[in-house]
Amino acid sequence: MEQIKRKKKQNLRRIVESFNQEASLFDKGARILIGVSGGPDSMALLSLLSELRPKWNLDLTVLYCHHGLRAAADEEEAFVRSWAEKWGCIFFSRKLPVREYQRKSGRSLQEAARELRYQAYEDFVKKKNIDRVALAHTANDQAEEVLIGLVRGAGLGGLAGIPAKRGRVIRPLIRTYRQEILDYLADKEIPFQEDLSNRDFRYLRARVRHHLLPELGKYSPNIVAQLNQTARLLQKDEEYLKEKADQIEPAVLSCSGATATLSRHQLADLPQALSSRFIQKAVLATLGHLRHFRAVHILSILKAAQGNRTQGTIPLPNGLSAKWNRKDIKILRTDSDPKPMVPFTYEIEKPIEIFIPETGASLSFKKVKAGSKSFELPGHKNLARVDFNKLSWPLVIRNLRPGDRFRPLGMEGSKKVSRLFIDRKVPRALRDRIPLVLSGGEIVWIGGMEIGQPFCQDHHTTLVLEIVYRKEKGL
């Protein structure tokens, strides 16, 4: 599927060196920290910078981040260490408490790992007087990032993809295609490690890489190059709009503590390309990230700014609200605790559809024969499949009770449901509106979220119970 934009094979070292001169990634004598995982991209980056070292008088240090998530990590660490020493580079390894940070922060596993990696890079920059941090993102990663932005409904900043340079972080391979890297490694007889998690289709990036991009390649064989061209064009637009926004920011946005204040009239008069940028900056200032913040939220705030109502409130993700009056729109955390919902309980004797009037949601249950498709990951989180023969009827459908625990899929031991809701950043107002499905007193499924380990399918499964959760609006 993948087509290389360059028509003939070229010297990759010269390509990278030329790109460095074009983008001013690093100067002669630079102290560079290279993030190396042992995969093909990072091994190629390490080799290429080692080739450039004599001419550019580079001081190279290698950092391997050990996430503690896979048994193969110890072997990868030793592999990277041996090759760093072979090329005469200083080697460091940093163990990252990814699962602990994920639990405390509520981030996804991938988000937690990424944030800790970048913290490690920042630490080394400060402690070792590093000039640049070189990461091995490629043109293929760039194409994937653009598609992920489209799937998630990102704005211009998200669609602009991965910058070649941001602060001290540089990406010398961002114009290099994966096939070029594999050819280079083969020519140089440089081995690399395969990370099997890159084929874990629970992650959106893996599905984009192995399913969506190949499918798009059937319509446009040069899709990776075209997406990269799109990203470069949007990056220019992004740079221009950022410059304009910086010039007028004092008149539009101010921040004090945990509250960001937007001038309602200024916001209403700005082009949407600028006004949406200030709304995102306000959320960032209040929350520190933009996870779960989508275009629909930006448009709701803009509608409030431009409307005739003199005051109002818009609920936002992650416990935020936008509150406005005649003059301002304030982005702030919601402080008031909602009143808990009255407990509800229902029983079903067989697979049927049940409506929950307390929440306006419904659950439908259907018995089907097990097959290859029943073991595939559901297309959306509001569908669950469990082993029918592991269930005891009647099933109970109810909301949260104090002390409720369940056994998460793939984990030993049990976990409090309330803890799961906290970890997943479920707003307090919604926690006792989410239905729990129980069999014999054990939780089969937390609606839209987690299956209980005792009820998962295995190679003995012959019958499957499919459960579909049709949420009330706002859940």
Side-chain angles (χ1 to χ4, degrees):
M1 181 275 294
E2 182 182 324
Q3 297 290 316
I4 305 302
K5 194 171 183 181
R6 288 179 273 272
K7 292 184 179 180
K8 63 180 181 178
K9 190 173 179 181
Q10 296 185 35
N11 185 296
L12 196 55
R13 180 187 62 77
R14 291 177 185 169
I15 293 171
V16 171
E17 185 174 25
S18 176
F19 179 52
N20 172 59
Q21 293 171 323
E22 173 194 335
S24 300
L25 300 182
F26 56 82
D27 299 321
K28 286 189 175 182
R31 297 170 58 88
I32 301 179
L33 177 72
I34 313 171
V36 182
S37 66
D41 301 338
S42 63
M43 288 299 292
L45 177 61
L46 173 56
S47 175
L48 287 161
L49 290 178
S50 297
E51 286 188 49
L52 292 171
R53 177 169 45 191
K55 179 178 178 179
W56 288 79
N57 190 30
L58 301 178
D59 185 337
L60 302 180
T61 299
V62 171
L63 175 63
Y64 175 83
C65 289
H66 192 310
H67 300 99
L69 300 175
R70 297 177 294 112
D74 291 336
E75 181 181 337
E76 288 172 355
E77 179 184 12
F79 172 80
V80 174
R81 180 191 298 273
S82 67
W83 278 89
E85 292 173 351
K86 178 178 179 178
W87 280 317
C89 300
I90 300 170
F91 174 83
F92 290 98
S93 178
R94 174 69 64 86
K95 288 199 172 182
L96 307 178
V98 176
R99 290 203 183 277
E100 180 183 355
Y101 182 66
Q102 178 200 20
R103 186 175 65 254
K104 290 180 179 179
S105 66
R107 309 286 198 267
S108 71
L109 198 62
Q110 287 188 320
E111 288 172 337
R114 182 184 183 278
E115 289 186 18
L116 288 179
R117 281 198 306 274
Y118 277 81
Q119 288 177 20
Y121 301 148
E122 289 177 13
D123 289 344
F124 272 83
V125 164
K126 294 173 183 176
K127 293 177 182 178
K128 305 296 181 181
N129 195 26
I130 297 295
D131 298 311
R132 294 287 184 262
V133 177
L135 303 181
H137 295 96
T138 68
N140 294 73
D141 295 317
Q142 182 75 287
E144 293 161 12
E145 195 69 19
V146 173
L147 289 176
I148 288 170
L150 282 170
V151 169
R152 289 177 171 167
L156 179 61
L159 297 179
I162 309 167
K165 181 180 180 181
R166 177 179 286 160
R168 294 182 187 268
V169 175
I170 60 173
R171 299 175 173 88
L173 302 182
I174 200 66
R175 299 278 183 89
T176 303
Y177 295 84
R178 188 161 290 133
Q179 189 58 53
E180 291 179 300
I181 286 170
L182 293 174
D183 291 343
Y184 169 83
L185 294 173
D187 289 344
K188 298 285 184 179
E189 297 184 347
I190 298 171
F192 56 86
Q193 301 287 303
E194 288 282 4
D195 182 353
L196 296 180
S197 67
N198 289 331
R199 289 187 173 273
D200 188 337
F201 297 132
R202 290 175 298 177
Y203 300 123
L204 176 59
R205 183 172 296 279
R207 299 197 297 276
V208 167
R209 176 175 298 179
H210 298 290
H211 294 160
L212 182 55
L213 260 177
E215 189 64 26
L216 291 175
K218 297 175 184 177
Y219 297 89
S220 177
N222 213 34
I223 186 65
V224 173
Q226 291 166 338
L227 289 170
N228 273 264
Q229 179 64 21
T230 297
R232 286 196 288 275
L233 292 172
L234 293 178
Q235 283 168 7
K236 295 297 183 183
D237 292 348
E238 172 75 5
E239 291 168 8
Y240 174 79
L241 290 171
K242 182 181 184 302
E243 182 180 344
K244 289 294 181 184
D246 289 344
Q247 292 172 359
I248 62 174
E249 182 172 335
V252 183
L253 173 65
S254 62
C255 300
S256 176
T259 300
T261 303
L262 294 156
S263 168
R264 181 175 176 181
H265 301 297
Q266 291 278 359
L267 200 67
D269 290 341
L270 285 173
Q272 187 172 320
L274 289 173
S275 58
S276 61
R277 182 176 300 269
F278 284 117
I279 292 170
Q280 291 179 73
K281 291 190 76 170
V283 173
L284 270 172
T286 306
L287 192 62
H289 61 81
L290 291 173
R291 281 183 298 280
H292 312 304
F293 195 74
R294 301 288 185 254
V296 64
H297 305 117
I298 293 175
L299 293 175
S300 296
I301 295 171
L302 287 177
K303 185 178 179 181
Q306 297 163 353
N308 296 321
R309 292 181 59 186
T310 57
Q311 61 180 4
T313 301
I314 299 171
L316 300 173
N318 303 302
L320 294 187
S321 290
K323 296 187 177 182
W324 76 88
N325 54 33
R326 292 179 184 273
K327 181 181 177 183
D328 298 319
I329 297 178
K330 295 185 181 294
I331 308 295
L332 69 166
R333 292 183 180 275
T334 304
D335 295 322
S336 58
D337 289 330
K339 294 181 181 179
M341 174 174 285
V342 174
F344 61 82
T345 303
Y346 298 92
E347 289 188 3
I348 58 171
E349 298 284 349
K350 60 183 180 180
I352 58 171
E353 181 167 353
I354 180 170
F355 177 71
I356 304 171
E358 288 86 350
T359 69
S362 66
L363 287 164
S364 64
F365 300 80
K366 181 181 179 181
K367 182 170 70 171
V368 298
K369 289 184 178 180
S372 58
K373 287 190 176 181
S374 67
F375 286 89
E376 294 178 359
L377 289 173
H380 56 85
K381 64 182 180 180
N382 295 325
L383 167 65
R385 298 186 182 102
V386 297
D387 192 319
F388 186 90
N389 292 321
K390 293 180 181 179
L391 300 168
S392 299
W393 297 80
L395 300 184
V396 174
I397 297 97
R398 62 168 175 81
N399 56 351
L400 184 67
R401 302 287 190 272
D404 272 343
R405 303 184 72 92
F406 81 114
R407 294 169 60 188
L409 186 65
M411 288 181 59
E412 295 182 4
S414 64
K415 180 176 185 175
K416 281 190 174 182
V417 177
S418 58
R419 182 73 253 176
L420 173 72
F421 288 162
I422 292 170
D423 292 345
R424 296 288 184 87
K425 301 293 185 182
V426 177
R428 189 182 297 272
L430 301 183
R431 293 175 191 171
D432 55 0
R433 306 178 75 84
I434 295 174
L436 311 180
V437 179
L438 292 89
S439 169
E442 283 203 78
I443 292 177
V444 177
W445 189 39
I446 301 171
M449 300 184 73
E450 290 278 354
I451 292 173
Q453 174 68 39
F455 306 97
C456 69
Q457 300 177 68
D458 55 35
H459 64 282
H460 296 299
T461 301
T462 57
L463 292 173
V464 173
L465 182 68
E466 289 189 346
I467 315 173
V468 177
Y469 176 29
R470 295 181 176 87
K471 296 182 179 182
E472 63 175 313
K473 187 176 180 181
L475 264 178

